[in-house]
């Protein structure tokens, strides 16, 4: 699970050693004693990643053999069905479960039937032994667990391939949930990623995948996700930040973290006992209104995405519950962040679809991608967007399929070479997940309609005027700098023109065919003049009676007649065959 704003970076640690000089040391052997301190003249060592996660060639080969064995077990050579693929990814472990979860939201890569099946992957796993949990906690805190917890329930609340959650009571009396990472899971993920990097490197050399998917980039993004997801301090910070956000809403909450007890592999937070939204019958029996829950959930989510720019990125049913009259969001290991520009563009694109405005939608898509992404064929981009607007912009909001719309928009961007930022992709995946939750458990709530109303009503006239003024000032600033730059370039061009140094390169679009025809005409005319000249010259030589003579004709004149005849045949043949080709 990935926090879009927290990307861990790898660092190479330089080992230092104290060097003692000795005038009697043999200079030919002294270098070997100083081998611990090195200067990387050619950049970081390639095996720094392997050293950090204790990876060896033997362990990678062993893991690769294990992967191959599981692939043979599921008979991959004869194809995969959606169910078989899901079962195989579960058997391969947490890394591939995460890959499957990501692929389940990428219908442009896999058929929809596979995406629907992979969406069932929730990384459930067999519980790890309670003794392992206790030993892990003792290792993390450096002291016995009974010095921190009065009681830990041996039966886990939930067990996934990455971590396990237990209910516990602190010595100070607080009722908490303790999330403990499985030992060695990060090393296993690092090993799988290392194998994927090798495969991607070979595949990139063998097959040109640039037009399909950047394999290397996908693997690196996957590792960023893993590193963030396996660093529980990130989740603790997310919980604290989201708790502050929830303080403004009486109906929204999340567990409070205990920072002093959180480590890289352990998160301690308030235990929340409530009813999951995956049990609508229980919610109704408890007196809750499902439509009110769904409406408030979506409206608050619109606030997270479009107003605040910090949002929960994995709202599947297991992460949403209702307790004490509040909607409680769990598991904030995967969050997303959007800057102000991106949020404004998203609003622009939503209104563009509603108004069936293809140019505005194209402008928003290009602003998403940044200034460096200029489509080669802008008219073709508009034509494709017209198709999307015609298909999705004319339907009622209650019938809009957000998953299909985002998939179509992503595929269009790929076809035109527009690179959409990963933060936008995260929003798309989160909206698709939320839509699935609503369709299954609260079908009377329409997400897109609520988001549209939120955009329309979230700002007061004063706020709209302020934002417009800021936008106008920013655009005026950019336009002024562009005008000044243009004037400076015009001054330079004028100076070069007066000195006779200005050159102009012109390209007439669509003039290639007429120019080619004109070139053929000139070539034929030139050859015809040469033929006429040869005939006339040869005739003059003939009547002059120059020697030597062959077949009663001077040799020079004879050669002229032969060349003229050959060229005449070539011209006639060229005209004849090209004429027939055009008729066909």
């Amino acid at each position: 699970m990935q926090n879009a704003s927290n990307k861990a970076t790898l660092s190479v640690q330089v080992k230092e050693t104290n060097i003692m000089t000795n005038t009697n040391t043999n200079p030919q052997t002294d270098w070997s004693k100083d081998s611990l301190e090195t200067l990387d003249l050619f950049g970081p060592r390639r095996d720094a990643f392997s050293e950090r996660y204790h990876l060896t060639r033997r362990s990678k080969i062993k893991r690769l053999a294990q992967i191959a064995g599981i692939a043979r077990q599921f008979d991959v050579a004869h194809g995969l069905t959606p169910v078989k693929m899901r079962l195989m990814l579960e058997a391969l472990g947490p890394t591939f479960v995460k890959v499957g979860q990501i692929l389940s939201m990428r219908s442009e890569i896999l058929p929809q039937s596979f995406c629907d099946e992979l969406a069932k992957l929730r990384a459930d796993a067999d519980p790890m032994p309670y003794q392992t949990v206790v030993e892990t906690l003792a290792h993390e805190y450096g002291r016995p667990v009974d010095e921190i917890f009065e009681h830990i329930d041996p039966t886990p609340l939930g067990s996934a391939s990455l971590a396990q959650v237990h209910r516990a009571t602190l010595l100070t009396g607080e009722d908490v949930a303790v999330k403990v990472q499985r030992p060695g899971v990060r090393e296993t993920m690092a090993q799988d990623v290392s194998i994927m990097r090798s495969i991607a490197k070979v595949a990139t050399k063998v097959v040109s995948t640039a037009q399909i998917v950047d394999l290397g980039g996908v693997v690196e993004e996957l590792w960023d996700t893993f590193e963030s997801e396996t660093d529980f301090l990130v989740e603790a910070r997310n919980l604290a930040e989201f708790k502050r956000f929830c303080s403004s809403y009486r109906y929204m909450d999340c567990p409070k973290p205990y920072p002093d007890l959180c480590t890289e592999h352990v998160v301690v937070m308030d235990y929340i006992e409530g009813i999951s939204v995956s049990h609508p019958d229980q919610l109704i029996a408890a007196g809750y209104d499902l439509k009110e829950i769904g409406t408030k959930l979506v409206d608050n989510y619109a606030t997270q995405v479009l107003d605040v720019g910090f949002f929960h990125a994995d709202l599947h049913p297991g992460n949403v519950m209702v307790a004490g009259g509040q909607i409680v969001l769990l598991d904030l290991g995967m969050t997303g962040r959007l800057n102000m520009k991106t949020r404004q563009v998203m609003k622009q694109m939503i209104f563009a679809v509603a108004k069936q405005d293809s140019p505005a939608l194209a402008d928003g898509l290009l602003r998403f991608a940044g200034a460096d992404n200029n489509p080669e064929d802008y008219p073709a981009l508009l034509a494709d967007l017209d198709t999307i607007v015609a298909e999705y912009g004319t339907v009622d909001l209650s019938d809009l399929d957000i998953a299909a719309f985002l998939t179509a928009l992503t595929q269009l961007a790929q076809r035109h070479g527009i690179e959409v930022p990963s933060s936008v992709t995260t929003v798309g995946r989160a909206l698709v997940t939320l839509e699935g939750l609503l369709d299954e458990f609260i079908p009377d709530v329409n997400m897109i309609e609520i988001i549209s109303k939120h955009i329309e009503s979230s700002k007061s006239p004063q706020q709209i005027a302020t934002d417009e003024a800021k936008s106008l000032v920013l655009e005026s600033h950019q336009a002024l700098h562009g005008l000044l730059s243009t004037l400076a370039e015009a001054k330079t061009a004028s100076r070069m023109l007066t000195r006779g140094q200005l050159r102009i390169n012109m390209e007439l679009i669509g003039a290639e065919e007429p120019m080619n025809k004109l070139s053929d005409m000139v070539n034929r005319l030139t050859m015809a003049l040469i033929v006429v000249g040869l005939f006339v010259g040869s005739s003059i030589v003939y009547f002059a009676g120059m020697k030597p003579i062959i077949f009663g004709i001077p040799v020079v004149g004879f050669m002229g007649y032969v060349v003229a005849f050959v060229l005449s045949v070539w011209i006639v043949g060229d005209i004849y065959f090209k004429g027939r080709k055009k008729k066909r």
Side-chain angles (χ1 to χ4, degrees):
M1 298 182 180
Q2 180 180 8
N3 186 321
S5 67
N6 292 278
K7 291 191 175 181
T9 57
L10 299 180
S11 60
V12 179
Q13 295 182 349
V14 181
K15 296 180 179 180
E16 297 182 355
T17 181
N18 294 325
I19 303 175
M20 298 181 63
T21 57
N22 188 342
T23 55
N24 296 325
T25 302
N26 186 343
Q28 294 181 349
T29 60
D30 185 57
W31 63 270
S32 62
K33 298 178 181 179
D34 190 31
S35 59
L36 289 178
E37 182 173 295
T38 60
L39 179 63
D40 292 327
L41 298 179
F42 302 100
R45 294 178 59 187
R46 296 179 60 186
D47 61 350
F49 181 84
S50 298
E51 287 183 352
R52 181 178 180 183
Y53 295 102
H54 313 292
L55 307 181
T56 63
R57 185 182 299 274
R58 179 179 297 178
S59 65
K60 288 174 64 176
I61 293 175
K62 183 178 179 181
R63 175 59 175 162
L64 191 58
Q66 183 184 8
I67 293 172
I70 294 174
R72 285 195 302 269
Q73 177 185 344
F74 286 89
D75 197 16
V76 175
H78 292 86
L80 286 173
T81 63
V83 174
K84 189 189 290 187
M85 185 175 185
R86 175 178 63 81
L87 294 175
M88 184 186 71
L89 293 177
E90 289 176 345
L92 286 170
T95 308
F96 292 90
V97 167
K98 175 56 63 177
V99 171
Q101 290 175 339
I102 293 174
L103 288 176
S104 69
M105 304 172 191
R106 301 294 296 274
S107 56
E108 76 276 12
I109 297 177
L110 290 178
Q112 190 61 45
S113 59
F114 281 81
C115 293
D116 293 340
E117 185 64 30
L118 294 181
K120 299 176 183 178
L121 288 168
R122 287 302 170 200
D124 294 332
D126 295 332
M128 59 178 170
Y130 176 68
Q131 186 60 32
T132 303
V133 174
V134 173
E135 291 174 356
T136 302
L137 290 172
H139 178 267
E140 288 295 310
Y141 295 130
R143 50 180 167 155
V145 294
D146 56 12
E147 294 183 9
I148 302 171
F149 302 98
E150 181 180 323
H151 171 72
I152 300 177
D153 189 348
T155 304
L157 296 171
S159 182
S161 57
L162 176 62
Q164 189 162 293
V165 182
H166 287 259
R167 186 174 181 178
T169 305
L170 298 178
L171 290 179
T172 51
E174 291 90 345
D175 196 8
V176 297
V178 183
K179 185 176 180 180
V180 183
Q181 189 174 127
R182 289 179 181 267
V185 69
R186 175 176 274 196
E187 286 71 21
T188 301
M189 286 183 165
Q191 192 154 244
D192 289 342
V193 167
S194 180
I195 293 172
M196 290 178 186
R197 281 174 175 164
S198 301
I199 294 174
K201 186 176 181 180
V202 173
T204 303
K205 291 181 179 179
V206 175
V207 182
S208 178
T209 59
Q211 299 301 322
I212 304 173
V213 63
D214 179 9
L215 289 180
V218 169
V219 173
E220 295 308 317
E221 183 178 349
L222 193 63
W223 174 244
D224 288 338
T225 302
F226 291 158
E227 269 210 317
S228 178
E229 184 180 356
T230 54
D231 184 356
F232 285 176
L233 289 175
V234 173
E235 182 173 353
R237 289 193 293 268
N238 291 339
L239 283 168
E241 184 173 353
F242 199 77
K243 187 74 174 178
R244 290 193 294 271
F245 164 76
C246 292
S247 62
S248 302
Y249 301 89
R250 272 193 261 176
Y251 63 85
M252 183 67 61
D253 200 5
C254 76
K256 181 187 73 174
Y258 292 78
D260 295 340
L261 298 178
C262 294
T263 71
E264 191 175 356
H265 302 104
V266 176
V267 178
V268 179
M269 67 196 92
D270 279 336
Y271 172 75
I272 306 293
E273 188 168 8
I275 305 172
S276 171
V277 293
S278 60
H279 300 105
D281 294 340
Q282 296 182 20
L283 289 172
I284 294 174
Y288 291 109
D289 183 349
L290 293 182
K291 189 170 184 179
E292 181 185 5
I293 292 172
T295 301
K296 287 184 175 179
L297 175 62
V298 174
D299 186 71
N300 187 270
Y301 200 70
T303 302
Q304 296 174 35
V305 174
L306 299 175
D307 299 340
V308 179
F310 174 67
F311 59 95
H312 195 303
D314 191 23
L315 279 183
H316 63 77
N319 286 340
V320 184
M321 67 166 50
V322 179
Q326 291 181 309
I327 302 171
V328 182
L329 303 187
L330 309 174
D331 191 2
L332 272 88
M334 184 175 180
T335 59
R337 294 182 186 273
L338 298 174
N339 57 35
M340 181 178 292
K341 174 186 173 183
T342 303
R343 300 199 300 270
Q344 290 176 345
V345 174
M346 287 191 67
K347 296 176 184 179
Q348 172 188 334
M349 293 183 69
I350 292 173
F351 280 127
V353 175
K355 296 178 181 178
Q356 302 181 42
D357 188 347
S358 296
L361 187 59
D363 180 60
L365 191 62
L366 294 176
R367 287 179 65 189
F368 260 154
D372 296 335
N373 287 271
N374 296 316
E376 296 180 358
D377 193 345
Y378 188 77
L381 173 63
L382 285 180
D384 287 347
L385 286 173
D386 283 338
T387 303
I388 291 180
V389 167
E391 183 175 356
Y392 297 101
T394 56
V395 301
D396 190 72
L397 285 175
S398 60
D399 299 323
L400 179 61
D401 187 343
I402 185 65
F405 169 69
L406 291 173
T407 298
L409 203 60
T410 303
Q411 291 175 341
L412 180 146
Q414 289 177 341
R415 285 199 304 272
H416 290 275
I418 299 174
E419 184 178 353
V420 179
S422 59
S423 59
V424 177
T425 307
T426 303
V427 173
R429 290 200 300 261
L431 290 176
V432 170
T433 304
L434 179 57
E435 184 187 41
L437 181 153
L438 295 172
D439 288 344
E440 185 174 359
F441 301 109
I442 315 178
D444 294 335
V445 174
N446 181 258
M447 181 177 67
I448 300 301
E449 189 172 5
I450 296 173
I451 292 176
S452 300
K453 290 180 179 178
H454 176 90
I455 296 174
E456 293 176 353
S457 61
S458 60
K459 292 184 177 181
S460 63
Q462 293 83 0
Q463 183 66 36
I464 294 175
T466 301
D467 289 349
E468 287 295 328
K470 290 181 180 178
S471 178
L472 182 61
V473 170
L474 180 61
E475 292 177 1
S476 300
H477 179 267
Q478 294 173 343
L480 178 60
H481 277 274
L483 178 60
L484 293 176
S485 177
T486 302
L487 291 175
E489 292 175 0
K491 180 181 179 181
T492 303
S494 176
R495 185 183 298 112
M496 293 176 66
L497 180 63
T498 56
R499 297 180 180 180
Q501 298 174 334
L502 185 65
R503 296 180 180 180
I504 300 177
N505 294 326
M506 297 182 64
E507 180 181 358
L508 300 177
I509 306 299
E512 292 82 1
E513 186 175 353
M515 293 300 294
N516 290 336
K517 290 182 178 180
L518 180 61
S519 177
D520 286 342
M521 292 172 60
V522 172
N523 290 339
R524 289 175 182 173
L525 182 60
T526 302
M527 295 298 294
L529 291 175
I530 293 174
V531 169
V532 171
L534 287 172
F535 271 115
V536 172
S538 298
S539 299
I540 293 174
V541 171
Y542 172 76
F543 287 109
M546 295 176 62
K547 296 180 180 181
I549 296 176
I550 182 173
F551 302 121
I553 304 174
V555 174
V556 175
F558 180 78
M559 295 299 296
Y561 282 131
V562 170
V563 173
F565 175 76
V566 172
L567 292 177
S568 299
V569 172
W570 180 81
I571 292 173
V572 173
D574 182 63
I575 294 173
Y576 174 75
F577 287 112
K578 284 189 175 180
R580 289 191 62 184
K581 186 177 180 181
K582 289 180 179 179
K583 289 180 180 179
R584 290 177 184 175

